[in-house]
Amino acid sequence: MEQNPVTANGSPDLAVELGPLRLKNPVMSASGTFGYGEEYSNFVDLRRLGAVVVKGISLEPRAGNPPPRIVETPGGMMNAIGLENVGVEQFLSLKLPYLRELSVPVIVNIFGNTVDEYGRLAARLDGTPGIAAIEINVSCPNVKKGGMVFGTDPAMTGAVVRAVRAKTSLPVITKLTPNVTSISEVAKAAEGAGSDIISCINTLAAMAVDIFSRRPRLANVFGGLSGPAVKPVALRCVYEVTRAVKCPVIGLGGITSATDALEFLLVGASAVQVGTANFTNPAVTVEIVEGIKRFMEVEGIGDIKSYIGSLDTSCLFPFAEDSCSLIESEMS
Amino acid sequence: MDKIIEEARIVEQERILGQIFRLRLHSPKIAGAARPGQFVMMRVREGTDPLLRRPFSFSRIYAEKGDFEILYRVVGKGTRLMSGLLPGASASLVGPLGNGFELPAAGSAPLAFIAGGIGIAPLLELIERVMARQKGAEDLRLFYGARTAEELLPEDFVRMPGLRVHFSTDDGSFGYKGRITRMFEDVMAEGAFRPSGIYSCGPLAMQYNVAKWALANDTLAQLSLESLMACGIGACLGCALPASTPEDPGAERFVHVCKDGPIFSAGSIKWNKILSQQTVPPTWPSN
Ligand SMILES: Cc1cc2nc3c(=O)[nH]c(=O)nc-3n(C[C@H](O)[C@H](O)[C@H](O)COP(=O)(O)OP(=O)(O)OC[C@H]3O[C@@H](n4cnc5c(N)ncnc54)[C@H](O)[C@@H]3O)c2cc1C
Ligand SMILES: Cc1cc2nc3c(=O)[nH]c(=O)nc-3n(C[C@H](O)[C@H](O)[C@H](O)COP(=O)(O)O)c2cc1C
Ligand code: FES
């Protein structure tokens, strides 16, 4: 495979372009696992991240679900936080200024109970300095459609994206749920409705119970599974989505290392987000940036863009007759 | 307050009795910043199983030596792995976390310390600090209970000059027979001891009874509370407990144990909204 040589000064180029969104490297935090950024300022230099994606924001503050809200599972965890957040006004006045001061690109994750609420949030954020993009979380129940989750229906997803698109000139990212039969169909609907970028995956619907008390472990009964356990599912989703749409894709789900991140880039994601791994290692995001850089140096990859989507799924039969000469030349 | 990631070295690992262990760690940055009532998130081993760090209180802090101790009970996978750590091994820590106890003004005794089971851990360092500031004549009492004598730390662990200790066991195998909060109420009923402040740590059911007494008797109480935690630094919002909202009793609001706590006043929790899942279920020995 052809590779760009390492750039003149010897330092590999990690910058990525996701349509209208340009990032200095492909590593971001995932919504809901990084607070509003400041929580991690003791552990990482936030300016070294491609972007910070903040906790999901709604029009009004939300208290969230009753506890217990989390439970650990093999290689993962489930959460039912219930989208607790300070609301858009407090976010803008109390949380955003800290990140704006640092000049960290901020991606604001938004959710609503109705299509209209998504549109109003987008309008409120539009034109606010310090915001690099809006990420639409469609993994929420639509109260006007009997609580059906927006993201499980291509038409409802399209309606949400259109409502946001109409109210903002910021880059729009649509974050897909894996809890569907065909994630490609939903991705196409989002792209068709004007989404500049797709991110996937959100958490997998899951459950845990206690055999003694005979009760669900989470007060909410269901929770969202995340962490290393979901990575193979996430990779498959990214693979499918990158082949279904033309717009850039952000991959996430179970990333804990540079190797994991590179797997997503290889499959076709133009950037990645890191979620649950922040809990285990609060410095993991910057460590992943450094790890990707080291990998590029060792592999002689000058530009990360040349690695993105370079997965080779063609068949190669090293022991077939006509490849023998190739093997012999390699052995000599 | 700065939070630190530090690779700690295991200095000592001692099985005190039964499932209770004492772990001494060399972790100079964290030990230097730690206050009683705060905690660390400990990664008991690398890899994905267990995935999350586990929270543990500082039971003793030796800032000048760069060490601190954790007193812990083996209850599951993480603590079992922890009990296998040998001196010289290392473990990743994040800390110091949480608010910590507010120390009483010097000479403000009488004070009551109430410890249920492994809840004795954060109180040991606290008692030590309070004793160091008192003049010696004040009435300081530790109420210390467990299910049975086999789960009580040896007496010399908790006896300090100037501290009166009341022991209880649920089965009466040592000290008062019955629940620790009943022993506490019995002593209060005698009338000779009336604390101006209470510090307590233990199971949620015990903490509820302490809080109820403190509220009914208009006594300040600082309770060390627990919740399952993922991040320990206020980012995941997983460690919520229902908050009392006196200004608007119908409102639903939550505090977060890792950030707003783990030390709470009796009146800050909406006890009647805590679900049974929040209390620790029994562990299955064969697991
Ligand atoms: C702020 C804080 C300070 C703590 N300090 C101490 C301490 O000084 N000494 C000590 O022995 N323990 C302490 N704990 C409890 C300790 O964190 C748990 O016992 C530990 O996480 C269990 O891990 P495990 O993998 O062994 O158990 P798991 O396999 O995770 O679970 C086994 C059992 O322990 C229960 N459990 C799991 N996590 C907790 C928890 N956070 N709190 C209570 N029960 C839990 C589970 O419900 C289950 O029944 C503290 C907890 C908090 C929140
Ligand atoms: C505690 C917690 C809270 C989350 N909150 C949000 C949220 O507010 N909005 C959102 O779009 N995704 C949220 N997520 C999903 C993550 O952003 C991410 O999609 C998912 O966890 C998979 O990635 P991971 O395996 O790296 O964690 C949350 C995940 C966790 C664990
Ligand atoms: S444990 Fe994550 S917010 Fe408290």
Side-chain angles (χ1 to χ4, degrees), chain A residues 72 217, chain B residues 39 50 53-59 70-80 118 121-122 224-229 257 262 279-283:
Chain A
E72 193 183 48
R217 294 229 181 230
Chain B
F39 65 100
R53 288 169 182 266
R54 300 288 191 261
F56 295 96
S57 305
F58 298 107
S59 73
I70 292 172
L71 196 66
Y72 68 99
R73 203 174 119 87
V74 172
V75 296
K77 192 188 291 159
T79 43
R80 193 172 321 119
I118 199 66
S224 179
L225 299 182
E226 289 187 2
S227 174
L228 291 169
M229 291 185 177
V257 176
T279 59
V280 177
T283 34

Side-chain angles (χ1 to χ4, degrees), chain A residues 1-300:
Chain A
M1 169 145 319
E2 204 182 323
Q3 234 117 43
N4 296 1
V6 175
T7 45
N9 61 8
S11 152
D13 183 4
L14 271 80
V16 290
E17 285 165 24
L18 295 90
L21 184 64
R22 276 150 208 273
L23 305 174
K24 64 177 162 296
N25 68 58
V27 182
M28 312 172 224
S29 60
S31 178
T33 64
F34 214 66
Y36 301 101
E38 192 169 357
E39 289 84 346
Y40 283 85
S41 57
N42 284 147
F43 310 110
V44 289
D45 180 352
L46 298 168
R47 291 167 304 187
R48 297 195 53 196
L49 301 179
V52 167
V53 186
V54 296
K55 175 72 190 162
I57 301 289
S58 48
L59 279 175
E60 300 296 330
R62 269 177 67 133
N65 285 332
R69 291 176 171 187
I70 52 174
V71 56
E72 193 183 48
T73 56
M77 66 174 282
M78 285 164 47
N79 86 82
I81 306 299
L83 295 164
E84 172 177 352
N85 79 96
V86 297
V88 69
E89 293 310 326
Q90 276 203 60
F91 167 72
L92 291 174
S93 60
L94 300 179
K95 307 291 182 181
L96 183 60
Y98 176 82
L99 291 170
R100 187 160 50 210
E101 285 293 293
L102 287 175
S103 314
V104 186
V106 178
I107 297 176
V108 184
N109 181 283
I110 62 168
F111 69 92
N113 297 315
T114 63
V115 172
D116 178 56
E117 282 185 23
Y118 280 97
R120 280 159 62 201
L121 272 161
R124 183 68 188 86
L125 297 172
D126 191 48
T128 307
I131 299 180
I134 291 177
E135 183 178 62
I136 309 172
N137 175 4
V138 288
S139 302
C140 306
N142 181 348
V143 298
K144 294 218 169 133
K145 286 271 161 70
M148 185 177 175
V149 174
F150 287 101
T152 56
D153 177 52
M156 280 198 320
T157 303
V160 170
V161 175
R162 260 190 303 280
V164 172
R165 178 76 288 167
K167 295 287 170 54
T168 186
S169 51
L170 287 166
V172 172
I173 307 167
T174 308
K175 181 169 179 182
L176 304 183
T177 168
N179 305 317
V180 291
T181 311
S182 169
I183 196 164
S184 307
E185 290 309 309
V186 190
K188 282 186 213 158
E191 182 184 44
S195 188
D196 301 297
I197 304 164
I198 304 282
S199 59
C200 62
I201 56 173
N202 212 313
T203 55
L204 287 142
M207 185 169 176
V209 297
D210 177 55
I211 58 165
F212 294 100
S213 62
R214 308 184 188 190
R215 289 178 188 282
R217 294 229 181 230
L218 297 174
N220 189 53
V221 185
F222 299 145
L225 183 66
S226 65
V230 312
K231 194 186 75 174
V233 177
L235 270 177
R236 186 268 299 167
C237 289
V238 170
Y239 182 87
E240 281 191 26
V241 170
T242 50
R243 276 140 189 87
V245 299
K246 292 190 188 64
C247 69
V249 174
I250 300 170
L252 74 153
I255 296 176
T256 67
S257 65
T259 305
D260 293 339
L262 284 158
E263 289 174 5
F264 279 84
L265 299 179
L266 178 61
V267 162
S270 300
V272 296
Q273 294 177 0
V274 183
T276 303
N278 290 296
F279 305 153
T280 308
N281 176 9
V284 72
T285 43
V286 167
E287 287 177 15
I288 289 176
V289 175
E290 285 165 356
I292 292 176
K293 201 167 153 223
R294 267 200 309 280
F295 173 79
M296 292 171 71
E297 281 160 0
V298 170
E299 289 291 298

